[in-house]
Amino acid sequence: MRRFQRKQLLEHIHTLREAGCALGEQFGEKKINLCADMQEFIAAILGFLDSIGEDDSALADKLAQLYGLLLQVSQDEVSSAQITAQIDDTKDYVESRADTDRLEAAFFCYKASMGDCLESIYLAAKEDERCDAYFIPIPYYDRTPEGAIGEMHYEAEGCYSPKIELTDWRAYPVEKRHPDICFIMNPYDEYNYVTTVHPDFYASRLRDQTELLVYIPYYIHEESIDSIVGSLPGVLCADKVIVQSEKVRQQYIASMVSQVKQITPKMAGEKIAALGSPKTDKVWTSKKEDYTIPDAWRKVLEPDGSQPKTVVLYNLSVSSALAHSQKEKRENYLKKLKKVLNYFRAREDVVLWLRPHPLLGSSLLSVQPEMYEEYQNIIREYREWGGGIYDDSADLNRAIACVDACYGDSSSVNLLFQFIGKPVLIQRIEDMDEEFELKSSREEMKDRMDLLTRDKERYYYFIYGETSQDGSIGDFHLADFIEHMDVIREYGAAQSARYRGCYINADGTAGQKIYRYVSRI
């Protein structure tokens, strides 16, 4: 029997007991009629048990005895007190068998590239012999520039890790199945103006179709989070929200209290749990050897069988592209993109692994359609050149495992690189021709790294920005970053270990701990 079904059964037994207590106050025909109604109700309970495939002979016997006692009560052969005693005995038996219950857990994911935020929890659920776990890719839609629902997308077979067994969303009627636990990773419901998941899977709907709605963020938070995060539907509708650290938990609590006046600190604190992030499980356990590299990519990475080149991921984010594409800044982002691609194209010692955010193209089409065609032309020209890698797959972790460093926009991807000790340089969008020229010597780079890593207040000590106007410590030119990457790498293991101290369960066990926590609620 599933946990939810046992809960339904106990509710039925509670209704029976209320009727049993009323029997002592009934006489004559009213008493006979109430006994008959209770017998019909018992027959319905037996039908319910049959419908869920519950074959418990001891429980069936107790209900049969109760059915027979009701006939005797209606004929004044036994007292109504014997009825309530038998109901209580049945209730105690049902409760005593709760440790044999099965769980049904449903995982709803709309973007395969974000599936790592649920994967290790799902795998932990699959390992539990008492849990039936279903990983269900759900459809999502683009928004048109006017905000209307546009083209539907559905990422399923071939998009996710082979470790995950997928269930078609059309074959899983959520309302009918009523899973004991639902895991979601999309917090926006109808308030995402670039894409929206199918409305059937909004948090505001799912909360009424499960016993426990759990929201897992699809990204890693920086230590300072957006102040409105506590007002997102996924956070407000969820029974539990799982975050990566206690510091982030406290900010969620503060955000909820400030955004929704009906929520008290105690209420928010009971909802938010700091247990780590499944995304760190994935990046921590993923190795280069785990992945298949297409032959065309391998020829770029290891030309003519020579030694592998330094490989740099160029990471483009939606938020940065849109932020730097407004009004007078409209040309800046694409101008920067062209310059970076030309710089790497001219270098024979480095391979660029270009991986735009999976929603970047559709976001530009929706919000900045006049930029979309030029962006597509730039990407097309890069792909036709063939000297670099263009990665539009759903598997971000393959890229993280295979490259040596990350360059590009500020995003949670950078935090995953930092987690495993690979260097990151965040690009500035403003036009800076000098960033492509070597400025620092090896000795100067060593001195700057020594100064930087002695700064104990900086949690983000392994993420750097390109040179600022004041030339502050921790800012680097792209050319310096590439040329002296071996110097930067020397600090990687120690600095990464220090950063991982910001997280809870940063040893690859977050998914297991999260599943264990929610399965016991």
Side-chain angles (χ1 to χ4, degrees):
M1 185 182 302
R2 279 182 42 207
R3 181 184 293 177
F4 169 61
Q5 293 164 343
R6 190 171 302 278
K7 178 183 176 183
Q8 287 180 299
L9 178 58
L10 286 169
E11 288 173 353
H12 295 331
I13 292 173
H14 177 72
T15 301
L16 264 182
R17 196 181 193 288
E18 288 183 332
C21 291
L23 267 178
E25 302 172 2
Q26 305 298 321
F27 302 95
E29 187 173 344
K30 288 186 177 181
K31 184 176 184 179
I32 293 171
N33 289 339
L34 181 53
C35 286
D37 289 342
M38 292 177 68
Q39 286 178 319
E40 282 189 29
F41 197 72
I42 291 170
I45 292 176
L46 289 167
F48 166 74
L49 294 174
D50 184 62
S51 71
I52 63 174
E54 181 63 24
D55 185 17
D56 188 329
S57 58
L59 177 57
D61 286 345
K62 289 180 181 296
L63 291 169
Q65 290 173 33
L66 183 57
Y67 191 97
L69 279 173
L70 284 165
L71 178 60
Q72 291 178 285
V73 170
S74 68
Q75 297 173 350
D76 294 325
E77 294 176 358
V78 299
S79 69
S80 59
Q82 290 179 262
I83 292 295
T84 54
Q86 179 66 20
I87 293 173
D88 287 343
D89 178 64
T90 305
K91 172 178 171 289
D92 290 344
Y93 174 79
V94 171
E95 290 179 335
S96 73
R97 300 286 294 165
D99 60 355
T100 66
D101 283 348
R102 296 193 64 78
L103 278 175
E104 183 161 312
F107 297 77
F108 296 106
C109 183
Y110 80 104
K111 284 294 294 179
S113 60
M114 301 172 183
D116 56 354
C117 71
L118 298 176
E119 182 174 328
S120 62
I121 311 175
Y122 165 79
L123 294 176
K126 287 287 286 183
E127 290 177 1
D128 183 357
E129 294 180 351
R130 291 174 48 201
C131 180
D132 298 310
Y134 297 87
F135 197 101
I136 307 162
I138 59 176
Y140 68 96
Y141 302 85
D142 294 330
R143 294 276 194 187
T144 67
E146 298 73 33
I149 297 295
E151 181 182 359
M152 187 184 95
H153 303 274
Y154 181 54
E155 300 177 4
E157 294 298 335
C159 296
Y160 288 85
S161 164
K163 297 178 181 178
I164 298 176
E165 182 180 346
L166 303 181
T167 297
D168 192 302
W169 67 283
R170 291 159 294 196
Y172 191 90
V174 186
E175 187 172 5
K176 181 179 179 180
R177 297 295 295 254
H178 198 98
D180 300 287
I181 311 173
C182 277
F183 292 90
I184 60 171
M185 40 70 75
N186 171 51
Y188 302 109
D189 284 6
E190 68 269 35
Y191 299 108
N192 187 331
Y193 301 110
V194 175
T195 60
T196 179
V197 300
H198 192 295
D200 284 353
F201 301 99
Y202 285 170
S204 56
R205 295 191 181 184
L206 289 176
R207 65 180 171 184
D208 297 323
Q209 299 171 359
T210 183
E211 293 301 288
L212 189 72
L213 183 63
V214 182
Y215 165 58
I216 309 289
Y218 65 84
Y219 51 89
I220 294 292
H221 284 288
E222 295 188 13
E223 289 295 279
S224 179
I225 69 172
D226 195 314
S227 61
I228 68 166
V229 72
S231 64
L232 297 176
V235 174
L236 294 177
C237 295
D239 299 294
K240 291 293 178 182
V241 175
I242 310 299
V243 295
Q244 69 204 45
S245 69
E246 182 59 29
K247 184 174 182 179
V248 169
R249 176 178 177 268
Q250 291 300 328
Q251 291 182 77
Y252 264 76
I253 293 171
S255 174
M256 291 181 69
V257 172
S258 66
Q259 296 289 325
V260 185
K261 61 173 141 184
Q262 298 92 336
I263 295 179
T264 65
K266 182 176 184 296
M267 293 165 60
E270 291 174 348
K271 180 191 288 274
I272 314 298
L275 294 171
S277 170
K279 291 183 74 69
T280 65
D281 291 346
K282 184 72 173 182
V283 73
W284 185 246
T285 58
S286 293
K287 307 301 178 189
K288 183 177 181 179
E289 298 75 24
D290 299 336
Y291 296 98
T292 299
I293 304 297
D295 289 340
W297 293 9
R298 195 174 297 280
K299 290 177 182 178
V300 173
L301 296 170
E302 303 175 19
D304 303 322
S306 60
Q307 285 294 103
K309 297 183 179 182
T310 297
V311 185
V312 177
L313 177 73
Y314 190 23
N315 171 47
L316 304 179
S317 75
V318 172
S319 58
S320 184
L322 296 183
H324 291 91
S325 304
Q326 305 295 323
K327 298 180 181 179
E328 68 276 3
K329 297 180 179 179
R330 183 163 292 166
E331 302 299 322
N332 289 358
Y333 195 80
L334 297 183
K335 189 175 181 181
K336 175 74 175 191
L337 176 57
K338 289 179 184 177
K339 286 194 172 186
V340 170
L341 295 183
N342 287 336
Y343 171 77
F344 281 97
R345 189 169 182 170
R347 295 197 65 129
E348 296 184 355
D349 58 333
V350 181
V351 173
L352 188 66
W353 187 307
L354 173 59
R355 191 178 192 281
H357 188 285
L359 294 176
L360 179 55
S362 59
S363 298
L364 290 176
L365 183 60
S366 175
V367 180
Q368 293 287 356
E370 65 280 0
M371 290 179 58
Y372 175 74
E373 186 173 349
E374 185 178 357
Y375 168 76
Q376 291 291 77
N377 287 336
I378 294 172
I379 296 300
R380 187 180 303 111
E381 182 180 342
Y382 172 78
R383 299 184 71 173
E384 289 174 352
W385 165 55
I389 290 172
Y390 179 73
D391 184 359
D392 60 355
S393 73
D395 202 340
L396 167 64
N397 288 282
R398 175 177 59 181
I400 296 176
C402 293
V403 305
D404 300 298
C406 180
Y407 173 71
D409 293 332
S410 177
S411 79
S412 62
V413 171
N414 301 328
L415 303 179
L416 294 174
F417 272 85
Q418 184 173 336
F419 194 86
I420 58 172
K422 292 187 178 183
V424 177
L425 179 67
I426 300 175
Q427 69 175 354
R428 286 184 62 192
I429 303 303
E430 291 76 10
D431 188 16
M432 292 180 59
D433 289 332
E434 65 270 21
E435 72 186 274
F436 302 108
E437 300 175 5
L438 188 64
K439 298 291 184 180
S440 301
S441 68
R442 183 180 178 84
E443 290 72 23
E444 289 171 331
M445 179 66 74
K446 177 76 172 176
D447 290 342
R448 295 183 72 193
M449 289 297 298
D450 285 340
L451 284 173
L452 178 66
T453 54
R454 283 202 293 268
D455 183 354
K456 304 301 183 184
E457 298 301 317
R458 292 179 63 161
Y459 88 92
Y460 47 88
Y461 34 71
F462 213 56
I463 296 180
Y464 316 102
E466 288 173 354
T467 304
S468 59
Q469 291 181 352
D470 62 2
S472 59
I473 294 297
D475 293 329
F476 298 88
H477 284 126
L478 174 59
D480 292 337
F481 181 72
I482 298 296
E483 188 68 25
H484 302 304
M485 195 175 296
D486 60 328
V487 175
I488 300 172
R489 285 176 182 161
E490 293 176 7
Y491 298 81
Q495 298 297 76
S496 178
R498 190 173 158 197
Y499 173 64
R500 288 196 303 276
C502 299
Y503 291 76
I504 292 177
N505 297 320
D507 56 356
T509 64
Q512 296 172 15
K513 304 286 178 57
I514 292 168
Y515 172 71
R516 190 180 308 159
Y517 171 75
V518 299
S519 66
R520 293 174 178 175
I521 295 175

